[in-house]
Amino acid sequence: SSITFASNKSSRLVAGGTPGESGAAYVLSLRDKAIQQRFTNFSDIATSATFNNDATCIAVASADSSAILFPLTPTNTSAPIALTGHSGPVLSIAWSPQDDMILTASADRSLKVWSAADGKLLRSFSHHTEPVHVVVFRPNLSSVENMPVECASASDDATVRIWQPKIGRMVRI
């Protein structure tokens, strides 16, 4: 089985499962030491999970080639948003600093940029030549005027690539 963790001030997100069989994500209350919510929507292990900035939503990636955004607040009755389009396991997932985009990385050697509001695919990058294991956004640099949103990806092709996902440009290898 596999486990990945993410946390915020009051909760911890645990994701994992049994390879090839099932995957799940659990939101645990740090205060109560109890499961607050469970998401068992995956047919393979959950590989990566993260909260948005205000912890009202989680994004979970899976080896079943999917990723899903789950609302967490009781007042938000929105249905989960499926992010489908990868042809291989989704290995990493990240929220943009402004919570308006989701970035996924996959063993299919691609990165995909999604709208966090509706799950629409905004763009796809296929410059890596091997599986992409990690994606991360640069922290919000609101003190720097006109700083473009940037993210990085790391792959088995022995490269780290820097991207500007809003405009669809790779800026550095």
Side-chain angles (χ1 to χ4, degrees):
S1 110
S2 172
I3 297 176
T4 185
F5 296 97
S7 62
N8 66 19
K9 293 177 185 172
S10 63
S11 299
R12 176 163 288 141
L13 174 64
V14 180
T18 305
E21 292 183 20
S22 65
Y26 298 92
V27 178
L28 308 172
S29 167
L30 294 177
R31 185 175 338 129
D32 303 334
K33 296 181 175 64
I35 296 173
Q36 290 179 325
Q37 289 179 279
R38 66 184 87 216
F39 306 102
T40 57
N41 303 51
F42 304 101
S43 62
D44 205 333
I45 61 170
T47 56
S48 181
T50 185
F51 290 99
N52 65 349
N53 287 322
D54 61 3
T56 58
C57 190
I58 60 170
V60 182
S62 173
D64 68 8
S65 303
S66 73
I68 303 176
L69 308 181
F70 296 101
L72 291 177
T73 57
T75 57
N76 186 348
T77 58
S78 302
I81 298 172
L83 309 177
T84 57
H86 282 290
S87 62
V90 181
L91 302 174
S92 185
I93 194 163
W95 288 93
S96 66
Q98 297 79 21
D99 285 341
D100 59 339
M101 292 181 292
I102 301 289
L103 185 62
T104 55
S106 174
D108 68 9
R109 303 182 310 260
S110 75
L111 303 173
K112 295 193 182 299
V113 182
W114 312 86
S115 165
D118 59 10
K120 178 182 173 189
L121 179 64
L122 302 175
R123 59 189 38 85
S124 186
F125 300 112
S126 57
H127 296 72
H128 283 290
T129 60
E130 295 294 331
V132 186
H133 288 277
V134 178
V135 290
V136 64
F137 277 91
R138 174 191 282 192
N140 189 0
L141 300 174
S142 57
S143 62
V144 180
E145 282 189 43
N146 300 319
M147 176 62 73
V149 173
E150 290 186 337
C151 60
S153 59
S155 168
D156 280 347
D157 64 13
T159 66
V160 172
R161 296 173 189 253
I162 309 299
W163 310 88
Q164 290 178 339
K166 282 191 176 187
I167 60 173
R169 178 170 58 179
M170 182 175 58
V171 295
R172 188 170 297 128
I173 298 176

